[in-house]
Amino acid sequence: MARRARWALPLAALGASAAVAGCGTTRATLAAQERPEAAMTAALLTAREMPRGWLPAERQRVFEGIRPTDPDCARLLRLADTDGDQGPRGLRNAPQAHAVYYLPDPGATLAASLFRLPPGDAATRLAEARAAIAGCPRLGMEVGDDREVRLRRVRPPRPGRALPDQAGVRYLHGSGGRRAGLDVLVARAGDDLLVVAAPGAFGGGGAKLIERAEARALRKLRAAHRRGAATPPPAP
């Protein structure tokens, strides 16, 4: 039986909260059982491949409750947090696979989604992500009672350049050990689009733990494409 745990971030005191749910198998494993495009799961991290401390979680929209007031920011989060069933239609209808993990201490969630798109569409989505990032220097978030919190855009996450075609952004609130925020990472390998959404606590060593997981996600996709594992065999 899955257990549900709730972790608190500095943002929670401002009215935002995040929930993570642990379970015995990743959604990537379930997707392999449920979808004909199961071969795509070979390009996603398994629980054993995640850095130490990360645990499997239920599939979820990790930015649930964050409602940007700026159109570019809203567009970016729609792309980053589709959960496969929401967001742009071109992604909802695409063959896809998902894996979600959570970090109990200091607290973070990482959702990786892989979409196989028609030729040229992955590059288009990546360009859209770059444009949305450029147009969203501050991420406004409504927290109730007509209040709004502003997360500032800082340097992008540094997971390395495992793939030549990638874009990333980080938004933070707070300072020092009380920093909290979110990462969005979008990368393309052929016609496959990897989208990583990672909200969490970035103080207390959290940033390094999140970046380490992001770097492994990029390397796994690159390795899968080099082996041809992320691309299904041609139809007979």
Side-chain angles (χ1 to χ4, degrees):
M1 179 179 295
R3 61 181 177 85
R4 184 166 290 274
R6 187 171 292 272
W7 45 271
L9 295 176
L11 288 179
L14 299 169
S17 64
V20 293
C23 60
T25 58
T26 68
R27 286 299 304 184
T29 302
L30 297 180
Q33 299 168 355
E34 298 168 358
R35 294 190 175 100
E37 54 269 35
M40 294 177 64
T41 62
L44 290 175
L45 289 173
T46 66
R48 289 186 177 183
E49 294 168 328
M50 287 292 288
R52 185 176 181 179
W54 288 90
L55 302 172
E58 292 177 353
R59 183 172 156 189
Q60 61 196 266
R61 295 189 67 207
V62 297
F63 295 151
E64 190 73 43
I66 302 179
R67 300 178 180 86
T69 55
D70 180 87
D72 281 317
C73 298
R75 192 175 303 114
L76 177 63
L77 292 198
R78 275 199 305 273
L79 171 64
D81 201 17
T82 64
D83 186 34
D85 302 318
Q86 302 187 44
R89 184 178 300 276
L91 296 186
R92 291 201 307 266
N93 299 334
Q96 57 196 260
H98 305 268
V100 184
Y101 301 92
Y102 75 101
L103 184 69
D105 185 21
T109 303
L110 185 141
S113 299
L114 184 64
F115 302 90
R116 176 157 304 118
L117 303 178
D121 280 12
T124 298
R125 295 293 182 184
L126 182 58
E128 291 173 352
R130 287 189 173 120
I133 290 169
C136 182
R138 291 186 179 272
L139 181 61
M141 183 179 71
E142 295 179 357
V143 295
D145 298 327
D146 296 323
R147 292 182 301 144
E148 182 182 88
V149 170
R150 303 288 266 180
L151 287 76
R152 70 189 186 279
R153 183 179 65 198
V154 297
R155 61 167 180 76
R158 297 182 293 182
R161 299 293 300 184
L163 293 168
D165 214 357
Q166 66 185 64
V169 66
R170 173 171 295 167
Y171 295 93
L172 289 181
H173 176 82
S175 60
R178 293 185 58 81
R179 288 177 301 159
L182 58 93
D183 275 2
V184 174
L185 183 64
V186 183
R188 181 179 72 90
D191 294 323
D192 284 349
L193 188 74
L194 176 68
V195 182
V196 177
F202 286 81
K208 290 183 178 179
L209 295 173
I210 292 170
E211 288 173 7
R212 193 174 300 159
E214 292 168 340
R216 290 194 183 183
L218 290 171
R219 290 197 297 268
K220 183 68 183 290
L221 177 59
R222 179 186 63 184
H225 267 261
R226 286 181 172 177
R227 295 192 308 268
T231 303

